[in-house]
Amino acid sequence: MEINVLVVDDSSVMRAMISKTMGLSGLPLGKIYQAANGQEGLEVLSGHWIDLIIVDINMPVMNGEEMIDRVRANPELKDISIIIISTEGSDARIDRLRRKGAAFIHKPFTPETIRDTVKDIMNLGGSDAGTD
Amino acid sequence: MRERIDHILSRVTEAIFEKLAFMFSFPEEGFEPEIEPSAAEPPVVTEVFFEGPFSGRLVMSLSPRLLPELAGNMLGADDNEATTPDQRYDALKELINVVCGNLLPEIAGKQAIFNVGTPKIIEPEGAAPAAEETLLGDTALLVEDEKCELRLYGIGGIPDRFFQTDSGADASDAF
Ligand SMILES: [Mg+2]
């Protein structure tokens, strides 16, 4: 199975960092799409098959939380895997986002954190932890 | 108490430069942040506003000579000089976004909820406080031998509890 990924962040440099990290992760990737805010992200989702959304929270036009709410409310999209990558530091807000069925990665991140979180959330090769 | 905020500002900024862009820095002893921008080589200045248990603005002023390396390292570029002006400004805006997001919980605790705005690049004069702003903390770092200054301004009432030292130590013994 190849994973099609949508990376949503208002920073083009951050989108490039995340895309590059995904590319180097050794994960079975299909296409990587990019969007600069939640609204653009929803437009990509309406036209392309996406298996995994990696989304920032703080964005103009439509923030990541609203985008997640729209995805979860859409019968055709509601089961897509979601990882939030954000600077959010409030425990209460992170809990609230996790309850929407999203994994959370704090910025700044390491490549390993992204790889391991993707493996975990996509149920990919789960048993090799700690062997190298 | 200013010392606590100054210290958090230095520590968080150093850590973010290192983790986000593999750039190393240290506090510059005895060099005070300048409010007057130098005409000879104006700094690049970025700001971000935030609202929460206290509200205000974080401002970062740094030497433009840092931008190619900042953008190049974040992008994993082979040639830092090949990065575009847009990429360099975007890298700087994401840097202050990450610094601000990590800074506020250090000051106000992990229960506090802040809304952080969209970072902007501004004119050097914009680093000085606006009439309604109070300086809460500042710091100056040398990043890869270039100057980087941060200022945290508060707007409106600032709860005292965020500005007391934990230990009650004499502020004058801080480095
Ligand atoms: Mg953002």
Side-chain angles (χ1 to χ4, degrees):
Chain A
M1 167 184 151
E2 287 198 331
I3 309 169
N4 285 349
V5 183
L6 169 60
V7 179
V8 190
D9 198 303
D10 55 322
S11 164
S12 67
V13 169
M14 184 54 69
R15 292 197 302 272
M17 283 178 83
I18 293 169
S19 301
K20 182 156 191 167
T21 301
M22 290 293 291
L24 295 172
S25 67
L27 296 164
L29 296 182
K31 283 194 116 154
I32 300 185
Y33 298 87
Q34 298 191 7
N37 60 61
Q39 184 67 50
E40 283 186 19
L42 291 172
E43 284 163 21
V44 173
L45 284 166
S46 71
H48 303 274
W49 180 267
I50 300 292
D51 302 290
L52 171 66
I53 301 170
I54 297 181
V55 59
D56 183 25
I57 291 300
N58 255 332
M59 294 181 289
V61 185
M62 182 190 291
N63 70 31
E65 185 164 7
E66 187 177 347
M67 179 184 164
I68 292 170
D69 288 342
R70 303 265 188 116
V71 167
R72 292 299 185 228
N74 181 325
E76 287 180 16
L77 304 176
K78 66 179 175 47
D79 296 322
I80 296 181
S81 298
I82 300 178
I83 298 173
I84 295 162
I85 300 188
S86 165
T87 61
E88 182 59 55
S90 149
D91 283 342
R93 204 178 253 165
I94 292 170
D95 279 351
R96 189 171 81 204
L97 293 164
R98 285 202 167 116
R99 281 196 300 270
K100 298 177 196 282
F104 185 86
I105 293 174
H106 191 78
K107 281 182 191 170
F109 52 79
T110 64
E112 294 75 26
T113 308
I114 293 198
R115 184 197 59 200
D116 294 347
T117 306
V118 173
K119 276 188 172 179
D120 193 42
I121 198 170
M122 302 299 294
N123 294 315
L124 295 164
S127 63
D128 67 351
T131 55
D132 63 2
Chain B
M1 280 291 187
R2 279 277 307 279
E3 296 292 335
R4 176 175 170 261
I5 308 256
D6 292 355
H7 183 69
I8 293 173
L9 260 178
S10 317
R11 183 163 49 76
V12 169
T13 308
E14 284 178 62
I16 302 302
F17 262 111
E18 195 175 318
K19 289 180 184 160
L20 199 64
F22 319 107
M23 293 169 84
F24 294 87
S25 56
F26 49 90
E28 173 64 331
E29 272 181 68
F31 129 171
E32 286 296 309
E34 307 167 348
I35 290 292
E36 289 302 316
S38 136
E41 190 191 47
V44 183
V45 182
T46 179
E47 69 176 12
V48 65
F49 286 87
F50 57 89
E51 288 177 356
F54 65 97
S55 297
R57 177 170 72 117
L58 179 66
V59 181
M60 179 184 269
S61 309
L62 47 69
S63 161
R65 280 177 286 193
L66 281 169
L67 293 188
E69 186 174 351
L70 177 69
N73 286 5
M74 285 176 74
L75 289 163
D78 294 328
D79 177 8
N80 293 341
E81 297 305 322
T83 54
T84 67
D86 276 355
Q87 288 174 324
R88 294 174 186 184
Y89 288 135
D90 190 79
L92 180 57
K93 288 190 282 185
E94 186 62 11
L95 176 74
I96 197 176
N97 174 51
V98 178
V99 169
C100 190
N102 282 271
L103 176 75
L104 297 173
E106 292 271 342
I107 295 172
K110 298 197 105 199
Q111 302 310 313
I113 295 183
F114 286 94
N115 291 314
V116 176
T118 302
K120 286 193 185 69
I121 306 291
I122 60 172
E123 295 298 321
E125 299 71 38
E132 70 278 16
E133 290 178 327
T134 316
L135 185 68
L136 303 179
D138 60 10
T139 192
L141 305 171
L142 278 184
V143 182
E144 310 278 326
D145 292 332
E146 300 287 348
K147 201 150 74 165
C148 172
E149 301 170 357
L150 286 106
R151 298 185 190 88
L152 182 68
Y153 295 119
I155 301 171
I158 315 295
D160 287 343
R161 67 182 187 280
F162 298 132
F163 302 99
Q164 288 159 1
T165 51
D166 303 326
S167 61
D170 180 1
S172 65
D173 69 7
F175 67 90

